[in-house]
Amino acid sequence: MPERNVCIIAGGMSKWGVREASIIDMAQEAAKECFDDIPALKRKDIDGLLFASSYCGRRSFQVNIAPVVAERIGIKPTSMCTRVDTLCAGGSSGIILATGLIKSGIADVVMIAGGEKLYTPQRWETYYSELASIDHDWDGAQGMGLPPPYFSMTAQEHMKRYGTTKEQLWAVSVKNRRNGSTNPKGHFQKAVTIEEVMASRVIVPPLSLYDCCPITDGCAAVILTYAEKARELTDRPLVYIRGSAQAALHSMSINWPGEHLADWLHMRTAAKRAYEMGRVGPEDIDVAMTHDCFTISEIVEMEELGFCKKGEGGPFVESGQSDFGGKVPVNTDGGLLSCGHPFGATGIRQAREILQQLQGRAIRQVEGAEIGLTHNLSGLNVEHTILIYGREP
Amino acid sequence: MGFENFGTVSFTAEAKAADFITYLEAGKVMATRCRKCGVSYFPPRMDCPRCLSSDVEWFEIKGDGKLISYTVVNYGPTGFENDAPYILALGEFDGGVQIFACLSRDIEQKDIQIGMGLVVSPVKLPDNRIAYEFKKG
Ligand SMILES: [Zn+2]
């Protein structure tokens, strides 16, 4: 069998936000929108399901969740049905794994779904589970866990070394909240002004409320298959998975790979491999979805992806180079800052937006977009995951 | 005796590095060094991630480290709510060993300077618990 090219053919999301619904309810909503996105596909033709979730074991008290989801969305997987946990990159891990399964012929049509239910009556559990998202025996025992304090150190380092300003951080928030204001599925539909951002309460200096993504309930789903099958199912332009990489070079407080906390060697390592596999460079990317868990994250990511030089991420975002009309529009659906971040669902949400962008049907369309990129960082910056999509294989 | 009383919130009672706690109760913060390839580890590793040898030795982290970065935790994870605000810091010690720990409450925030000298030492916590923290070097 010749090696198959793999395409993403459909995407869906539940409504994201503070939801009165279980993780399974939201998975069903996301899957339904995804099925409706590709009417020619019969559900019996989906032979694989990968479900990305990190907190479902504790917050929803549901382990081995994939078969439960499969039953609720009316599919009967016969090639693969399993959960994937890479925290904030779980959805992207699922897409990479499904690509390999389809390329090799182990699976033919795979749904990658995922999400989290984080608002429950026992709110303390969410803040307790955060201690488990790092090396809990050592760093967790010291009181590290919730991400803002960690990323405040990154922001301080970037400001000190490169002269990055709070106004530049805020520019990311204003842009992404504006992009998200027309996305009905995201957590927020309200743009914010720089004055509102400036006046918001301080979480950890220099990060204020609007520098941080919210805690969000939600699920998302996409479907992948091989190109010949995709052509049978849709008249839309095909969107191929061209390249991917996932790099993990250290654990949180030991063996940090960079020269300093704002130097993300593990992200550059992943970007280099993904670009090589995709046979593209940073200058070829028409639209990108990068992991804006904090405003500072998006600034560092512009540098490590090669969209600008190291240290110039601040001026890059402030001058509109990551906005519509700039060098590369970033987080066109609002990103984590506006959509929220139900960990396992985020990479899938990004893939859905890139699919719509490359098919020319996004809510805020980048004209003529042909090559797209998604990126996640996971945990307290211990791993980076990148995917490259294109209209050509 | 293992890690059951370590830190404010701990998880693992039994671990191969349990001697760390015995040393800590005797007033010493210890790291490990691989006898085969010479690499030092903190948190201590009883099996070397680099060469996979189990032939490791303990050594005490003595003398001055320096402060690399710090952050203020205003909203603590579950178990740490009553401790907030507290300051978490990253320090570098002899041999390039980096340690992540709370800064002693004796240090006022206005006196904190990146690059300042640090020592790491055991600290007794309420309810008979024990951890390590940074003091001024
Ligand atoms: Zn060794």
Side-chain angles (χ1 to χ4, degrees), chain A residues 249-258, chain B residues 39-43 45 49-50 96 98:
Chain A
L249 308 183
H250 75 298
S251 174
M252 202 200 97
S253 69
I254 194 164
N255 288 330
W256 172 256
Chain B
V39 177
S40 302
Y41 295 101
F42 192 93
R45 304 286 194 232
R50 184 164 177 265
Q98 291 199 348

Side-chain angles (χ1 to χ4, degrees), chain B residues 34-39 41 48-53 55-56:
Chain B
C34 173
R35 281 204 183 96
K36 198 168 162 206
C37 74
V39 177
Y41 295 101
C48 175
R50 184 164 177 265
C51 74
L52 304 181
S53 165
D55 187 12
V56 300

Side-chain angles (χ1 to χ4, degrees), chain A residues 221-270:
Chain A
V222 291
I223 296 171
L224 268 56
T225 189
Y226 54 98
E228 292 72 17
K229 180 84 178 172
R231 253 183 228 110
E232 287 172 19
L233 292 169
T234 181
D235 295 329
R236 289 175 177 149
L238 295 191
V239 174
Y240 295 86
I241 289 143
R242 291 180 61 125
S244 67
Q246 183 166 69
L249 308 183
H250 75 298
S251 174
M252 202 200 97
S253 69
I254 194 164
N255 288 330
W256 172 256
E259 297 281 314
H260 50 82
L261 288 174
D263 175 37
W264 297 1
L265 174 65
H266 41 342
M267 179 162 181
R268 286 199 298 284
T269 305

